[in-house]
Amino acid sequence: MAFISEGNMNFSSHYMDDEYEKLFRRLNPPRVVIDNESGKRATVIRVDSANKHGILLEVVQILTDLNLIITKAYISSDGGWFMDVFNVTDQDGNKIIDEAILEYIEKSLGPESCFSSPMRSVGLKQTMEHTTIELMGSDRPGLLSEVSAVLTNLKCNIVSTEVWTHNTRAAAVMHVTDDETGSSITDPNRLSLIKELLCNVLGGGNRNRGAKTVVTDEVTTHTERRLHQMMFDDRDYERGSDDESDEKQRPNVNVVNWSDKDYSVVTIRCKDRPKLLFDTVCTLTDMQYVVFHANINAERPEAYQEYYIRHIDGSPVKSDAERQRVIQCLEAAIERRVSEGLKLELCTTDRIGLLSDVTRIFRENSLTVTRAEVTTKGGKAVNTFYVRGASGCVVDSKTIESIRQAIGNTILKVKGNPEESVPQDSPTRSIFGGLFKSRSFVNFGLVKSYS
């Protein structure tokens, strides 16, 4: 008779659980219904599926990655079944009529998704074409400029970057390639050098809190979820005793226990913005809470979210300390994506060192980058920056003009005030030579962004 060890029994148990889940999903495949008739202003998407932890985040992530606006939602996942209804529009507030988008939603959430790899979950991207760099440290003026300069000197091409700052901390997820090969960096000595030099840059700020650098070519979590996880692990939600930030500007988050049903009820009221639902659901999921029911309404300028939750162990919020932690973490999750100040949008032909040069101009003009989204596609770089002046002050017109002179041939616009504009073709000579002369543009707008 074969000897079965405890380890083999555990493996067998996990294997059987996995096979049972696959069988259950095959017998009860997800069903997606897309309705463009019943709603007057929005497309209605209904998803019915076997329940599992994280499925709500998975659905919300897919819709969010398509840049759809969720105006209303109803979620119910009591028992072994998950059912939710979303009212969605495009960025202009119209119904979704693009057949390619509708087909993608059906394939991503419908029966075909049962047999796809679990790596699909929550926007996970399987690629070995780039190296991923994760940075966490104290925020300070010029940090992004210093980081991008180091990578440029090490002959790394920055393919995409997302940077968030919150409560004096900065987090970044960067995708880079080797300048010569255009693929991921594999030399262990070079990877070690990249990590060492970036750690030195991050260590140049406030040493009272730690800095962290991770360099990997492994498949990683969806970028925005990873940024939430990094800042959560860094405890950016903790506010010091001397924090004098305006309480009125914070989201209104409340947590109470509904003893009759053994749920905790979380309510959130704040200014609406795209991806708000993702940010809150992502945080609840990563804090190991299960959403059993939820009502979402974002049709007005103020968004209202109501969640009925339990911890993954089946218990509601147990103490006042836990309640305060849930409130603080949700506040932080909402605030991380809110940026005040000057919005800069840059679109031009991509090249090695572009991000380093642009952020150097910001630094030389005493601007601090509070959030950044950098992407490249088809040889074009599309970058969005949110910047502030020294000590958080508003960026003045002289600084804007200085940046225009440095970059050259720009389009300058103050959003919300169309009368304040500048000629589209500035004769000023650019420090980049002819880089920005070919149908490229830079838009500047003084805004408070919730996107």
Side-chain angles (χ1 to χ4, degrees):
M1 183 175 67
F3 177 75
I4 302 176
S5 67
E6 182 178 352
N8 288 335
M9 290 178 65
N10 290 336
F11 174 81
S12 177
S13 176
H14 291 313
Y15 175 79
M16 292 302 295
D17 288 344
D18 184 56
E19 289 302 307
Y20 175 79
E21 180 179 349
K22 290 179 180 178
L23 175 61
F24 185 75
R25 287 176 64 84
R26 284 188 173 94
L27 296 176
N28 302 276
R31 188 167 68 96
V32 178
V33 177
I34 300 177
D35 179 6
N36 260 326
E37 302 299 327
S38 59
K40 292 183 179 180
R41 300 179 180 177
T43 298
V44 180
I45 301 175
R46 175 172 171 169
V47 182
D48 296 296
S49 172
N51 196 14
K52 65 176 182 178
H53 182 58
I55 189 172
L56 174 59
L57 176 57
E58 181 175 336
V59 175
V60 171
Q61 178 63 67
I62 289 172
L63 298 178
T64 301
D65 278 350
L66 290 170
N67 291 320
L68 303 182
I69 305 299
I70 300 172
T71 58
K72 277 188 177 183
Y74 170 77
I75 289 97
S76 179
S77 63
D78 250 343
W81 199 251
F82 170 83
M83 186 275 286
D84 58 0
V85 179
F86 296 96
N87 286 15
V88 302
T89 69
D90 62 17
Q91 294 287 319
D92 297 321
N94 302 316
K95 292 182 179 182
I96 313 304
I97 59 175
D98 188 322
E99 291 296 332
I101 294 178
L102 297 177
E103 182 179 352
Y104 178 83
I105 292 172
E106 289 180 340
K107 287 185 176 180
S108 299
L109 301 177
E112 293 182 29
S113 66
C114 287
F115 310 103
S116 62
S117 167
M119 298 293 285
R120 175 186 65 88
S121 179
V122 200
L124 206 58
K125 299 178 180 179
Q126 301 184 64
T127 176
M128 298 296 289
E129 296 177 354
H130 59 247
T131 297
T132 300
I133 300 175
E134 296 179 354
L135 304 173
M136 189 76 225
S138 295
D139 185 29
R140 70 174 188 275
L143 180 60
L144 180 57
S145 174
E146 294 176 39
V147 168
S148 55
V150 167
L151 291 173
T152 299
N153 290 336
L154 292 171
K155 299 189 181 303
C156 298
N157 181 34
I158 301 174
V159 178
S160 64
T161 297
E162 189 143 356
V163 181
W164 288 1
T165 63
H166 178 250
N167 196 16
T168 76
R169 303 295 284 171
V173 175
M174 314 182 80
H175 295 151
V176 304
T177 59
D178 179 84
D179 181 9
E180 295 182 357
T181 66
S183 58
S184 61
I185 300 167
T186 57
D187 182 357
N189 293 328
R190 189 176 175 195
L191 292 173
S192 179
L193 179 61
I194 291 172
K195 183 175 181 178
E196 178 184 352
L197 294 181
L198 290 179
C199 279
N200 291 339
V201 171
L202 292 175
N206 181 1
R207 295 181 181 272
N208 292 330
R209 297 186 66 178
K212 185 177 181 181
T213 303
V214 176
V215 181
T216 179
D217 59 1
E218 297 179 356
V219 178
T220 57
T221 308
H222 183 274
T223 297
E224 293 176 355
R225 186 182 186 189
R226 186 65 192 130
L227 285 165
H228 275 303
Q229 292 173 339
M230 291 165 63
M231 301 200 91
F232 173 78
D233 291 341
D234 189 64
R235 305 173 76 91
D236 75 314
Y237 52 85
E238 294 182 341
R239 302 181 187 273
S241 58
D242 58 346
D243 187 354
E244 299 179 355
S245 60
D246 190 350
E247 292 283 347
K248 294 181 180 179
Q249 294 182 359
R250 292 185 188 174
N252 184 341
V253 183
N254 192 30
V255 180
V256 297
N257 280 355
W258 185 13
S259 56
D260 290 346
K261 297 293 184 180
D262 213 25
Y263 292 125
S264 291
V265 183
V266 178
T267 56
I268 301 172
R269 290 181 174 87
C270 65
K271 184 177 178 62
D272 186 38
R273 59 164 175 77
K275 301 188 178 183
L276 177 64
L277 181 59
F278 166 76
D279 293 335
T280 53
V281 171
C282 177
T283 299
L284 289 172
T285 302
D286 284 335
M287 290 182 72
Q288 299 296 300
Y289 290 101
V290 179
V291 176
F292 287 87
H293 304 281
N295 289 293
I296 311 297
N297 192 330
E299 290 187 312
R300 297 175 294 177
E302 181 184 72
Y304 175 78
Q305 299 182 354
E306 182 180 66
Y307 299 100
Y308 294 77
I309 67 170
R310 292 181 190 144
H311 193 268
I312 198 169
D313 65 8
S315 65
V317 173
K318 298 176 182 177
S319 65
D320 187 61
E322 183 182 355
R323 187 179 75 86
Q324 289 298 326
R325 186 168 181 265
V326 171
I327 291 173
Q328 289 179 343
C329 290
L330 287 172
E331 286 178 347
I334 295 169
E335 292 172 350
R336 288 171 194 143
R337 207 189 287 268
V338 177
S339 300
E340 296 182 11
L342 189 70
K343 180 180 178 181
L344 301 89
E345 296 177 346
L346 172 69
C347 179
T348 187
T349 302
D350 186 36
R351 66 170 175 85
I352 304 297
L354 175 62
L355 181 61
S356 176
D357 289 334
V358 172
T359 52
R360 177 172 54 81
I361 293 174
F362 297 161
R363 183 181 61 186
E364 291 172 349
N365 284 274
S366 301
L367 300 185
T368 299
V369 178
T370 60
R371 187 158 66 91
E373 300 174 12
V374 175
T375 60
T376 58
K377 186 176 182 180
K380 291 288 184 181
V382 181
N383 304 343
T384 301
F385 304 95
Y386 297 85
V387 299
R388 294 176 180 171
S391 302
C393 65
V394 176
V395 183
D396 59 32
S397 57
K398 291 183 179 179
T399 301
I400 296 176
E401 183 60 25
S402 177
I403 295 173
R404 287 183 55 234
Q405 290 178 358
I407 295 178
N409 193 24
T410 65
I411 298 174
L412 181 64
K413 185 189 302 182
V414 178
K415 293 188 176 181
N417 190 352
E419 294 180 357
E420 297 186 31
S421 59
V422 298
Q424 295 187 7
D425 295 313
S426 169
T428 308
R429 181 175 177 82
S430 166
I431 67 166
F432 298 142
L435 176 63
F436 294 100
K437 291 183 180 179
S438 176
R439 302 181 66 181
S440 59
F441 61 88
V442 180
N443 291 338
F444 299 80
L446 190 60
V447 298
K448 180 171 182 178
S449 171
Y450 290 85
S451 60

